[in-house]
Amino acid sequence: MSSPSHYDVAIIGAGMSGLAAGIRLAHFGRRVCILERHSKLGGLNSFYRLDGRKFDVGLHAMTNFVPEGVRGTPLGKLLRQLRIERGEFALCPQKQSRVVFGSTGKTELRFTNDFSVLEAEIAAKFPAQIDGFRRLADLVRSYGDRVFDVPQVSARQVVREYFSDPLLEDMMFCPLMYYGSARERDMDLSQFVIMFRALFLEGFARPLEGVRLVIRVLLEKYQAAGGECRMRCGVARIVEREGRAAALVLDGGAEITADHVISSIGAAETLALCDPMVGGGLAVASAPSGMGILPMSAALGQRHGQDARATIGRRLSFVESIRVLKHQPGELGWGSDTIVFFNDSDRFDYARPAQQVDLRSGVICLPNNFDFGGAELPEGWLRVTCLADYDQWIGLPEERYRADKLRWLDESTRSARRFLPEISDATLAAETIATDLFTPRTITRFTGHLEGAVYGAPGKTPDGRTHLKNLYLCGTDQGLLGIVGAMLSGISMANQHILQPEIRGA
Ligand SMILES: Cc1cc2nc3c(=O)[nH]c(=O)nc-3n(C[C@H](O)[C@H](O)[C@H](O)COP(=O)(O)OP(=O)(O)OC[C@H]3O[C@@H](n4cnc5c(N)ncnc54)[C@H](O)[C@@H]3O)c2cc1C
């Protein structure tokens, strides 16, 4: 079928996964259209302007960084499959990161992009555990790429077979969970393996210019390959006919059709588009009314059965405070840490908090502290991420919402400063030239993700299949998380469901 509004593939959402899927398909000659509701590309990994200054949303660091020449890695696969030259992302490695536990950071593990640094730290601070840790690292190295067709196994249980110190166990899980777990308190072993490789065996990097460079490269590749992108063009409904996604109804009421549809917006969010009744429930859930998600879950469960119910569950969300400073963090005495994962006791509780924000643990990112090869960011930045409870943000009246943002901006910074070299309140106040805080409500408002979820639903759909033959999922609810994971998810779903016969024959 050929008409101006018919495509080989329509992709819902122009985040990292949707863009990567689009590039891959366009390279193989498919007529592709990405439909994005927001005015900006990037989704959870985007940027915005406030008082003339550009703020990144979802980039502390790109994970999976390896030096040039290292073969067989996720980054290499991603660059090759998207035909991106390594230099185009201009990735600059981290300087050093830390995991610190205890009320004043009394136990600390330093790590860099060189795995031997972490090994040496563990040998020095947990001498009785180092052999087990090394064997665990060997398990991760030999695990292979079989991450989706394996049964779910508790990573906690497996790790306990390798070492016995609960403090070390929690210090390992803290960074891996903060950077890639949709599940509370435990991870599936395959996800643990992916994250262990991504953070510890490989490492962190970012371009000096930040998220914008990554997005620009992806858009250029996509457009150069002939891909079309429609912005401010949300999909309001998926019309089902004979077990297929027969048409997409756009927010303005127009319809487009496609042979295949890939959705990057989340599993429950996609199913809700298939069912106006469910869609109504989702709108209620996302509105600042505090009504919760029960109508949607009930309707989804009824209509789509067990699989749909698995996509529903306690989603995890975060607040992130951002502080722009006159000077580089190093000049203020904060040293050269790039990322600090902190927890103020010996046990780590990665879960949706009972209070609005959980200040006990979090992630500090000092984006100035990448090795930019002599260049530097013109201003200093301090970002602090903490777990937050969506329900206690969504229903707030506007005035209270603003007041709470200010409160948690201060409190999250105060909590994080316990784990950085001390500077006085007066110095910090004099240094601060701009601040912002985004909340679970911000995330839902700008990306449509249910309950402000950053890592999607706890249950994943590894094969990306849905109840409709030609509708597939990619992105966080397919199962690969983070920036690199999202792009790989888009690539693998495009390969698996649409390009496979061709790739096999090539
Ligand atoms: C604060 C924060 C910090 C982070 N830090 C890091 C980090 O340091 N390193 C890292 O690797 N990852 C990080 N992440 C995670 C990373 O950004 C995400 O995992 C990744 O970007 C997800 O991409 P995605 O394509 O799966 O989904 P999304 O980015 O959510 O893309 C989905 C897109 O679909 C659009 N959409 C939704 N509904 C509709 C509709 N009905 N019609 C049309 N379009 C629609 C949305 O607007 C969005 O653009 C962070 C995220 C956040 C929020």
Side-chain angles (χ1 to χ4, degrees):
M1 195 202 294
S2 171
S3 87
S5 58
H6 180 81
Y7 296 88
D8 295 328
V9 188
I11 298 174
I12 310 177
M16 295 289 119
S17 64
L19 284 166
I23 296 170
R24 188 78 184 142
L25 292 161
H27 279 158
F28 278 79
R30 298 300 192 278
R31 190 160 176 251
V32 192
C33 183
I34 301 181
L35 303 154
E36 168 57 53
R37 178 166 276 150
H38 196 29
S39 58
K40 287 209 168 54
L41 301 166
L44 285 166
N45 185 45
S46 189
F47 58 94
Y48 59 99
R49 217 172 238 287
L50 191 66
D51 299 330
R53 185 175 279 104
K54 288 175 188 158
F55 287 73
D56 281 352
V57 180
L59 178 71
H60 284 182
M62 261 170 81
T63 57
N64 299 93
F65 177 78
V66 285
E68 192 152 14
V70 180
R71 296 184 159 272
T73 65
L75 182 64
K77 176 179 175 189
L78 154 60
L79 295 173
R80 200 172 54 251
Q81 298 244 338
L82 298 183
R83 301 181 197 166
I84 294 172
E85 293 296 324
R86 200 186 147 90
E88 289 182 83
F89 277 158
L91 291 173
C92 303
Q94 66 162 325
K95 288 187 174 163
Q96 66 157 26
S97 294
R98 286 185 292 138
V99 189
V100 277
F101 268 47
S103 56
T104 51
K106 65 180 175 353
T107 310
E108 167 177 300
L109 291 173
R110 208 166 62 83
F111 66 99
T112 67
N113 291 355
D114 174 355
F115 184 66
S116 66
V117 173
L118 178 61
E119 254 185 315
E121 286 277 287
I122 292 175
K125 290 166 187 169
F126 295 91
Q129 311 293 325
I130 184 63
D131 290 343
F133 176 76
R134 288 199 176 114
R135 283 191 292 112
L136 180 69
D138 287 342
L139 169 82
V140 171
R141 287 192 190 95
S142 62
Y143 198 81
D145 292 330
R146 287 186 60 243
V147 289
F148 292 133
D149 57 347
V150 289
Q152 292 227 335
V153 176
S154 156
R156 290 264 189 195
Q157 275 180 20
V158 171
V159 167
R160 282 173 200 153
E161 290 167 19
Y162 287 82
F163 50 77
S164 56
D165 190 320
L167 174 59
L168 179 60
E169 178 187 322
D170 274 357
M171 289 183 83
M172 287 291 98
F173 273 93
C174 174
L176 307 189
M177 287 177 151
Y178 259 110
Y179 272 10
S181 180
R183 268 176 75 180
E184 296 176 299
R185 297 191 175 100
D186 199 355
M187 298 171 86
D188 180 53
L189 180 63
S190 58
Q191 185 60 20
F192 175 87
V193 166
I194 291 174
M195 297 311 298
F196 191 101
R197 275 186 200 149
L199 271 70
F200 296 144
L201 293 175
E202 296 170 356
F204 296 146
R206 66 163 263 164
L208 176 67
E209 203 190 323
V211 165
R212 274 151 282 151
L213 177 71
V214 177
I215 294 172
R216 198 167 61 235
V217 169
L218 295 178
L219 182 64
E220 282 169 8
K221 296 284 165 194
Y222 178 61
Q223 289 179 331
E228 189 182 327
C229 194
R230 298 198 201 174
M231 303 302 292
R232 293 185 195 277
C233 188
V235 174
R237 197 156 66 84
I238 297 173
V239 180
E240 297 182 22
R241 213 169 291 135
E242 294 168 5
R244 296 176 65 82
L248 303 180
V249 181
L250 307 180
D251 285 339
E255 265 190 35
I256 68 159
T257 55
D259 294 342
H260 302 275
V261 178
I262 298 182
S263 172
S264 68
I265 68 174
E269 293 85 339
T270 302
L271 293 178
L273 293 182
C274 298
D275 189 328
M277 199 183 112
V278 173
L282 182 57
V284 166
S286 302
S289 62
M291 284 186 68
I293 62 158
L294 267 182
M296 190 201 70
S297 14
L300 271 175
Q302 238 171 31
R303 176 157 177 163
H304 300 289
Q306 195 58 39
D307 284 353
R309 276 193 293 275
T311 70
I312 299 158
R314 281 161 61 95
R315 288 163 168 76
L316 292 163
S317 192
F318 304 89
V319 289
E320 179 155 291
S321 67
I322 305 168
R323 203 168 276 271
V324 188
L325 307 162
K326 287 182 192 153
H327 294 93
Q328 303 289 310
E331 291 168 343
L332 296 179
W334 275 342
S336 57
D337 288 329
T338 309
I339 313 280
V340 180
F341 299 91
F342 66 87
N343 183 57
D344 69 10
S345 66
D346 287 348
R347 294 320 309 257
F348 170 56
D349 190 23
Y350 183 76
R352 192 160 164 163
Q355 59 280 50
Q356 218 172 355
V357 176
D358 185 349
L359 294 175
R360 294 174 300 168
S361 70
V363 186
I364 302 167
C365 173
L366 298 165
N368 303 76
N369 289 340
F370 286 84
D371 187 354
F372 295 123
E376 62 180 27
L377 296 172
E379 296 172 313
W381 292 82
L382 168 69
R383 309 176 72 101
V384 179
T385 310
C386 293
L387 286 155
D389 177 33
Y390 172 87
D391 288 345
Q392 294 178 64
W393 284 97
I394 196 64
L396 296 177
E398 202 51 34
E399 212 171 300
R400 170 79 194 279
Y401 178 67
R402 290 215 188 111
D404 284 359
K405 277 179 72 168
L406 287 178
R407 174 182 163 211
W408 292 109
L409 175 81
D410 278 345
E411 297 216 8
S412 60
T413 310
R414 202 184 319 281
S415 173
R417 281 169 60 202
R418 295 177 295 167
F419 303 92
L420 291 171
E422 195 173 332
I423 66 167
S424 71
D425 290 351
T427 306
L428 184 62
E431 271 294 323
T432 302
I433 42 182
T435 58
D436 198 18
L437 178 113
F438 60 81
T439 71
R441 176 169 142 179
T442 325
I443 292 168
T444 294
R445 180 163 167 226
F446 288 104
T447 66
H449 285 297
L450 202 53
E451 297 188 281
V454 170
Y455 297 129
K460 301 300 180 194
T461 312
D463 64 7
R465 292 191 187 282
T466 67
H467 65 296
L468 300 181
K469 276 195 211 84
N470 61 338
L471 170 66
Y472 324 101
L473 301 176
C474 73
T476 49
D477 276 351
Q478 184 264 325
L480 291 170
L481 303 174
I483 297 167
V484 171
M487 287 193 251
L488 287 171
S489 166
I491 292 168
S492 62
M493 290 301 102
N495 287 348
Q496 198 170 313
H497 296 296
I498 301 167
L499 300 174
Q500 197 54 270
E502 238 166 280
I503 297 172
R504 232 186 267 129

